[in-house]
PDB file of all heavy atoms in Angstrom:
ATOM      1  N   GLU A 211      31.509   0.090  -2.195  1.00  0.00           N
ATOM      2  CA  GLU A 211      31.524  -0.670  -3.487  1.00  0.00           C
ATOM      3  C   GLU A 211      30.424  -0.034  -4.428  1.00  0.00           C
ATOM      4  O   GLU A 211      30.556   0.000  -5.570  1.00  0.00           O
ATOM      5  CB  GLU A 211      31.131  -1.985  -3.137  1.00  0.00           C
ATOM      6  CG  GLU A 211      31.057  -2.959  -4.428  1.00  0.00           C
ATOM      7  CD  GLU A 211      30.574  -4.331  -4.098  1.00  0.00           C
ATOM      8  OE1 GLU A 211      30.121  -4.562  -2.957  1.00  0.00           O
ATOM      9  OE2 GLU A 211      30.635  -5.277  -4.993  1.00  0.00           O
ATOM     10  N   GLY A 212      29.371   0.478  -3.743  1.00  0.00           N
ATOM     11  CA  GLY A 212      28.244   1.054  -4.576  1.00  0.00           C
ATOM     12  C   GLY A 212      28.363   2.543  -4.940  1.00  0.00           C
ATOM     13  O   GLY A 212      27.547   2.995  -5.731  1.00  0.00           O
ATOM     14  N   LEU A 213      29.296   3.198  -4.490  1.00  0.00           N
ATOM     15  CA  LEU A 213      29.454   4.720  -4.773  1.00  0.00           C
ATOM     16  C   LEU A 213      29.514   4.932  -6.277  1.00  0.00           C
ATOM     17  O   LEU A 213      28.819   5.892  -6.730  1.00  0.00           O
ATOM     18  CB  LEU A 213      30.679   5.117  -4.081  1.00  0.00           C
ATOM     19  CG  LEU A 213      30.611   5.372  -2.554  1.00  0.00           C
ATOM     20  CD1 LEU A 213      32.009   5.879  -1.998  1.00  0.00           C
ATOM     21  CD2 LEU A 213      29.534   6.345  -2.226  1.00  0.00           C
ATOM     22  N   PRO A 214      30.308   4.213  -7.112  1.00  0.00           N
ATOM     23  CA  PRO A 214      30.315   4.594  -8.511  1.00  0.00           C
ATOM     24  C   PRO A 214      28.950   4.653  -9.240  1.00  0.00           C
ATOM     25  O   PRO A 214      28.726   5.453 -10.199  1.00  0.00           O
ATOM     26  CB  PRO A 214      31.237   3.556  -9.134  1.00  0.00           C
ATOM     27  CG  PRO A 214      32.046   3.150  -7.971  1.00  0.00           C
ATOM     28  CD  PRO A 214      31.196   3.058  -6.829  1.00  0.00           C
ATOM     29  N   THR A 215      28.033   3.809  -8.872  1.00  0.00           N
ATOM     30  CA  THR A 215      26.733   3.670  -9.448  1.00  0.00           C
ATOM     31  C   THR A 215      25.596   4.155  -8.567  1.00  0.00           C
ATOM     32  O   THR A 215      24.442   3.946  -8.943  1.00  0.00           O
ATOM     33  CB  THR A 215      26.500   2.220  -9.961  1.00  0.00           C
ATOM     34  OG1 THR A 215      26.402   1.341  -8.717  1.00  0.00           O
ATOM     35  CG2 THR A 215      27.521   1.716 -10.873  1.00  0.00           C
ATOM     36  N   MET A 216      25.901   4.776  -7.481  1.00  0.00           N
ATOM     37  CA  MET A 216      24.796   5.166  -6.504  1.00  0.00           C
ATOM     38  C   MET A 216      23.813   6.082  -7.156  1.00  0.00           C
ATOM     39  O   MET A 216      22.619   5.804  -6.970  1.00  0.00           O
ATOM     40  CB  MET A 216      25.474   5.851  -5.229  1.00  0.00           C
ATOM     41  CG  MET A 216      24.457   6.178  -4.214  1.00  0.00           C
ATOM     42  SD  MET A 216      25.207   6.849  -2.819  1.00  0.00           S
ATOM     43  CE  MET A 216      26.228   5.556  -2.145  1.00  0.00           C
ATOM     44  N   GLU A 217      24.158   7.118  -7.794  1.00  0.00           N
ATOM     45  CA  GLU A 217      23.179   8.050  -8.335  1.00  0.00           C
ATOM     46  C   GLU A 217      22.329   7.400  -9.389  1.00  0.00           C
ATOM     47  O   GLU A 217      21.119   7.624  -9.370  1.00  0.00           O
ATOM     48  CB  GLU A 217      23.921   9.258  -8.838  1.00  0.00           C
ATOM     49  CG  GLU A 217      22.970  10.347  -9.316  1.00  0.00           C
ATOM     50  CD  GLU A 217      23.588  11.573  -9.813  1.00  0.00           C
ATOM     51  OE1 GLU A 217      24.840  11.719  -9.753  1.00  0.00           O
ATOM     52  OE2 GLU A 217      22.966  12.417 -10.479  1.00  0.00           O
ATOM     53  N   ALA A 218      22.942   6.488 -10.158  1.00  0.00           N
ATOM     54  CA  ALA A 218      22.161   5.773 -11.177  1.00  0.00           C
ATOM     55  C   ALA A 218      21.147   4.923 -10.538  1.00  0.00           C
ATOM     56  O   ALA A 218      20.007   4.729 -10.969  1.00  0.00           O
ATOM     57  CB  ALA A 218      23.089   5.057 -12.204  1.00  0.00           C
ATOM     58  N   ASP A 219      21.534   4.146  -9.467  1.00  0.00           N
ATOM     59  CA  ASP A 219      20.684   3.270  -8.807  1.00  0.00           C
ATOM     60  C   ASP A 219      19.527   3.937  -8.134  1.00  0.00           C
ATOM     61  O   ASP A 219      18.420   3.533  -8.079  1.00  0.00           O
ATOM     62  CB  ASP A 219      21.524   2.421  -7.769  1.00  0.00           C
ATOM     63  CG  ASP A 219      22.528   1.471  -8.388  1.00  0.00           C
ATOM     64  OD1 ASP A 219      22.243   1.122  -9.629  1.00  0.00           O
ATOM     65  OD2 ASP A 219      23.417   1.103  -7.772  1.00  0.00           O
ATOM     66  N   ILE A 220      19.857   5.113  -7.483  1.00  0.00           N
ATOM     67  CA  ILE A 220      18.817   5.896  -6.872  1.00  0.00           C
ATOM     68  C   ILE A 220      17.807   6.445  -7.877  1.00  0.00           C
ATOM     69  O   ILE A 220      16.557   6.414  -7.702  1.00  0.00           O
ATOM     70  CB  ILE A 220      19.428   6.946  -6.028  1.00  0.00           C
ATOM     71  CG1 ILE A 220      20.236   6.462  -4.891  1.00  0.00           C
ATOM     72  CG2 ILE A 220      18.268   8.011  -5.550  1.00  0.00           C
ATOM     73  CD1 ILE A 220      19.404   5.902  -3.887  1.00  0.00           C
ATOM     74  N   THR A 221      18.319   6.829  -9.072  1.00  0.00           N
ATOM     75  CA  THR A 221      17.468   7.284 -10.146  1.00  0.00           C
ATOM     76  C   THR A 221      16.492   6.216 -10.580  1.00  0.00           C
ATOM     77  O   THR A 221      15.339   6.456 -10.743  1.00  0.00           O
ATOM     78  CB  THR A 221      18.226   7.737 -11.349  1.00  0.00           C
ATOM     79  OG1 THR A 221      19.036   8.931 -10.921  1.00  0.00           O
ATOM     80  CG2 THR A 221      17.407   8.200 -12.479  1.00  0.00           C
ATOM     81  N   GLU A 222      17.044   4.890 -10.712  1.00  0.00           N
ATOM     82  CA  GLU A 222      16.188   3.810 -11.067  1.00  0.00           C
ATOM     83  C   GLU A 222      15.135   3.521 -10.007  1.00  0.00           C
ATOM     84  O   GLU A 222      13.972   3.231 -10.307  1.00  0.00           O
ATOM     85  CB  GLU A 222      17.059   2.553 -11.195  1.00  0.00           C
ATOM     86  CG  GLU A 222      16.241   1.283 -11.640  1.00  0.00           C
ATOM     87  CD  GLU A 222      17.146   0.109 -11.814  1.00  0.00           C
ATOM     88  OE1 GLU A 222      18.323   0.117 -11.392  1.00  0.00           O
ATOM     89  OE2 GLU A 222      16.604  -0.897 -12.230  1.00  0.00           O
ATOM     90  N   MET A 223      15.535   3.718  -8.666  1.00  0.00           N
ATOM     91  CA  MET A 223      14.664   3.413  -7.613  1.00  0.00           C
ATOM     92  C   MET A 223      13.460   4.470  -7.611  1.00  0.00           C
ATOM     93  O   MET A 223      12.316   4.139  -7.425  1.00  0.00           O
ATOM     94  CB  MET A 223      15.393   3.550  -6.242  1.00  0.00           C
ATOM     95  CG  MET A 223      14.562   3.427  -4.998  1.00  0.00           C
ATOM     96  SD  MET A 223      15.426   3.935  -3.530  1.00  0.00           S
ATOM     97  CE  MET A 223      15.528   5.689  -3.713  1.00  0.00           C
ATOM     98  N   VAL A 224      13.849   5.683  -7.839  1.00  0.00           N
ATOM     99  CA  VAL A 224      12.905   6.816  -7.883  1.00  0.00           C
ATOM    100  C   VAL A 224      11.863   6.563  -9.042  1.00  0.00           C
ATOM    101  O   VAL A 224      10.614   6.760  -8.879  1.00  0.00           O
ATOM    102  CB  VAL A 224      13.465   8.172  -7.973  1.00  0.00           C
ATOM    103  CG1 VAL A 224      12.402   9.244  -8.294  1.00  0.00           C
ATOM    104  CG2 VAL A 224      14.249   8.508  -6.673  1.00  0.00           C
ATOM    105  N   GLY A 225      12.382   6.132 -10.191  1.00  0.00           N
ATOM    106  CA  GLY A 225      11.501   5.862 -11.280  1.00  0.00           C
ATOM    107  C   GLY A 225      10.560   4.656 -11.031  1.00  0.00           C
ATOM    108  O   GLY A 225       9.321   4.745 -11.342  1.00  0.00           O
ATOM    109  N   ALA A 226      11.009   3.635 -10.286  1.00  0.00           N
ATOM    110  CA  ALA A 226      10.108   2.587  -9.929  1.00  0.00           C
ATOM    111  C   ALA A 226       9.017   3.008  -8.886  1.00  0.00           C
ATOM    112  O   ALA A 226       7.816   2.617  -9.058  1.00  0.00           O
ATOM    113  CB  ALA A 226      10.884   1.421  -9.343  1.00  0.00           C
TER     114      ALA A 226
END
Side-chain angles (χ1 to χ4, degrees):
E211 181 184 14
L213 285 176
T215 62
M216 182 178 295
E217 187 177 349
D219 289 338
I220 292 292
T221 298
E222 182 182 10
M223 177 191 74
V224 172

